[in-house]
Amino acid sequence: MDAIQLVEDEVRAEMRRRISAGGLRGGEGELRALVDAAVLDYDLRSIDGSLPFLADRDAAVREVVAAVSGYGPLQPYFDDPDVEEIWINEPGKVFVARGGVPELTTTILDTDAVADLVERMLAGTGRRVDLSSPFVDAALPDGSRLHVVIPDVTRTHWAVNVRRFVARARRLDDLVATGSLTAQAARFLGAAVAAGLNVLVSGATHSGKTTLLNCLLAAVPAHQRIITCEEVFELQVGARDCVALQCRQPNLEGRGEIPLRRLVKEALRMRPDRLVVGEVRQAESLDLLIALNSGMPGAATIHANSAVDAVAKMCTLPLLAGENVTSGFVLPAVASSIDLVVHAALTTDGTRRVEEVLAVTGRVEGGTVETSSLFLRDGAGDLVRGSGWPPHRDRFARHGIDVADLLGAAP
C-alpha cells in the first residue's frame, strides 16, 4: 500500500471517530486542517523508514482532501475551469471536453472506484441508481448535471456523464463579448424579453441552450416573479424573486414520481410573472402552450437542428399528450403562443454562437406556422439583420421600446 493510501485510511478513521463523538462539523477548513495534521504526523513517522515516504507533502494533502471530500481521481477535472464535461465509458476510458473538444484522459479507474464515485455524487441528492432504476439524473452541489446508466441497460460497464455549468456568460452583453451574438441582436432580444414576448431557445446537444436561456432571463424586469420547471436543476437564474422546481423519481415502491407536466401545472398556482420550462421533450409542451396562450409570458428550450425545425417540433410534441389533442388545435396554439425562436449551434471548432433569431408571425398557412427571419448568419458567418419583423409591436410600445430604432430598416 502506498503512502497516500495509508494517510487516506488514517484520515477516514479519524473522521469516523470524530463523527461518532459528535465533533466533526464537516467544514472545508476543518477537513483541510485534519488532513494537514495527518500528513505531517505520517511524514514524521516515516523518517525511520518503517513507512513509505511521501514525495511531496503539499501534493499529498491535495490528493487526500480530494479523495475524502471530493470526487477522488476526477476532482482535478472538477477544479479545472476549462473542463465542460466529464464522462466515463468504462473504468479505463475517462474523457473530458474542453472548448467543445473531447479528449481521452490518462485517468484509469476500476469498477469499484466508478461505483464509489457515483455513490458519492448521489449522496444528498435523494436519487438512486440500481437494477430497478438503471438510469439516474441528478444535480451536483456545484450545479453540474450527473447522468448514470448501469448494466444491463449498458453492455458491461457503468456509463457516467457529468455536464458542468462552467459558462462565464450571465447576461446578453457577455454573449456579445464572446462573439456569440451581435450587439444589435442582444439589444433586441433584451427588449423582447422585457416586453414579455415568449421565447423558445433551440439547438443541438452542447450548443449552449441553457446558458443562452439564463442570459435571456437576466433581461426580465427585476420586480417580476419567475418560476422554473426542470427535470434536473440546471438553470441559474439570478432574479431576486425566483422559485426553481425539479422533477422527482419514483421511490422503491414505484410511487411518488413528479413529472414535468405536474410541475408546470403547479407552477401556475404560484403567482408567476414568467413561466420557464428548462427543456420541453414530451407532453409537457401542451401544458406550456396552454399557459402561454392564456397570456402568461414564458420561455423554454428544445432540441432541434434549426429554428424552423424547433417550431415544427413544437407543433408535434403536444400530440403526445393524448388522442384528443389534434393538429387543428396545436398549430394555431403554437402560432399565437411562441413569438421568437433563438437558435444556438456548436461549430466544428468548439465555438458556441447564435445562428438565427426567428419571428413567429402568428399566422398558419397551408398547415404550416408562418415565420420570418430577424437575424441570421450570412455566407461570411456574420449574424446580420434579416427581413422579418417581430410580432406584438404594441407590447414593445407599452414598454417605451421603439422596435424600428432597435432593428433599423430591413435589407
Side-chain angles (χ1 to χ4, degrees):
M1 187 177 292
D2 65 16
I4 298 294
Q5 187 62 57
L6 288 170
V7 175
E8 181 184 332
D9 290 346
E10 292 178 2
V11 169
R12 291 187 185 279
E14 177 63 16
M15 289 175 66
R16 287 193 292 269
R17 187 191 69 77
R18 293 193 186 187
I19 290 172
S20 299
L24 184 66
R25 296 181 179 274
E28 183 177 343
E30 181 184 13
L31 178 61
R32 177 74 183 219
L34 190 158
V35 174
D36 276 334
V39 169
L40 177 59
D41 177 69
Y42 180 92
D43 205 24
L44 293 174
R45 287 187 284 118
S46 66
I47 292 176
D48 62 3
S50 60
L51 294 169
F53 287 107
L54 286 170
D56 185 330
R57 186 188 297 176
D58 291 337
V61 170
R62 290 193 299 271
E63 193 168 338
V64 173
V65 168
V68 299
S69 69
Y71 301 126
L74 299 186
Q75 190 59 44
Y77 306 126
F78 280 89
D79 295 335
D80 187 340
D82 293 326
V83 171
E84 304 166 339
E85 197 154 359
I86 307 162
W87 63 97
I88 304 171
N89 291 349
E90 57 185 72
K93 290 184 178 180
V94 179
F95 294 81
V96 299
R98 292 183 175 90
V101 180
E103 58 186 79
L104 177 63
T105 71
T106 57
T107 301
I108 304 295
L109 306 173
D110 58 44
T111 301
D112 291 339
V114 173
D116 178 65
L117 283 168
V118 171
E119 183 179 353
R120 250 186 274 180
M121 291 178 185
L122 290 177
T125 67
R127 304 201 171 198
R128 73 183 198 284
V129 61
D130 52 37
L131 289 177
S132 64
S133 181
F135 302 95
V136 68
D137 267 308
L140 303 183
D142 67 349
S144 300
R145 178 172 177 171
L146 170 69
H147 181 75
V148 181
V149 190
I150 66 173
D152 57 355
V153 175
T154 56
R155 184 185 295 274
T156 304
H157 303 287
W158 290 30
V160 182
N161 182 280
V162 179
R163 186 179 301 177
R164 303 188 60 224
F165 190 82
V166 297
R168 297 168 180 83
R170 300 286 179 175
R171 311 180 71 84
L172 291 169
D173 287 345
D174 297 331
L175 295 179
V176 175
T178 62
S180 300
L181 199 61
T182 63
Q184 183 188 25
R187 287 193 299 271
F188 167 74
L189 289 174
V193 171
L197 269 64
N198 300 323
V199 182
L200 186 64
V201 177
S202 65
T205 304
H206 313 302
S207 60
K209 296 187 299 296
T210 301
T211 298
L212 179 52
L213 181 55
N214 273 326
C215 293
L216 289 168
L217 294 176
V220 173
H223 66 276
Q224 292 192 354
R225 176 174 171 82
I226 302 173
I227 309 294
T228 66
C229 305
E230 302 176 84
E231 287 190 352
V232 176
F233 292 132
E234 284 189 285
L235 290 170
Q236 298 185 6
V237 183
R240 67 180 185 183
D241 190 355
C242 178
V243 176
L245 308 176
Q246 75 170 0
C247 298
R248 189 171 70 190
Q249 289 183 316
N251 59 23
L252 292 173
E253 291 76 33
R255 301 176 180 175
E257 180 181 14
I258 300 179
L260 196 52
R261 292 196 71 179
R262 173 73 181 276
L263 291 185
V264 174
K265 294 173 182 176
E266 294 298 327
L268 294 175
R269 299 186 174 101
M270 300 173 66
R271 197 191 176 277
D273 295 306
R274 303 278 176 141
L275 175 64
V276 180
V277 177
E279 182 176 338
V280 289
R281 296 175 182 268
Q282 301 181 53
E284 67 276 352
S285 56
L286 175 65
D287 303 282
L288 176 62
L289 282 179
I290 292 172
L292 299 182
N293 203 32
S294 65
M296 171 66 62
T301 73
I302 189 170
H303 276 90
N305 292 323
S306 68
V308 171
D309 286 348
V311 176
K313 194 171 183 179
M314 279 299 295
C315 295
T316 303
L317 290 180
L319 302 179
L320 300 173
E323 294 181 0
N324 59 328
V325 182
T326 66
S327 295
F329 167 79
V330 174
L331 263 65
V334 170
S336 61
S337 300
I338 305 299
D339 300 319
L340 301 175
V341 182
V342 185
H343 186 72
L346 177 66
T347 63
T348 54
D349 63 359
T351 302
R352 293 175 174 86
R353 66 185 192 181
V354 171
E355 288 290 301
E356 185 177 12
V357 179
L358 195 71
V360 179
T361 65
R363 296 185 295 271
V364 178
E365 294 291 340
T368 302
V369 175
E370 188 178 279
T371 61
S372 61
S373 186
L374 298 173
F375 295 92
L376 72 163
R377 295 282 170 180
D378 63 10
D382 298 322
L383 189 65
V384 298
R385 174 78 170 92
S387 59
W389 288 89
H392 308 301
R393 297 177 67 174
D394 57 313
R395 297 185 191 176
F396 288 95
R398 283 200 298 269
H399 287 77
I401 300 168
D402 186 342
V403 176
D405 183 56
L406 279 175
L407 295 178

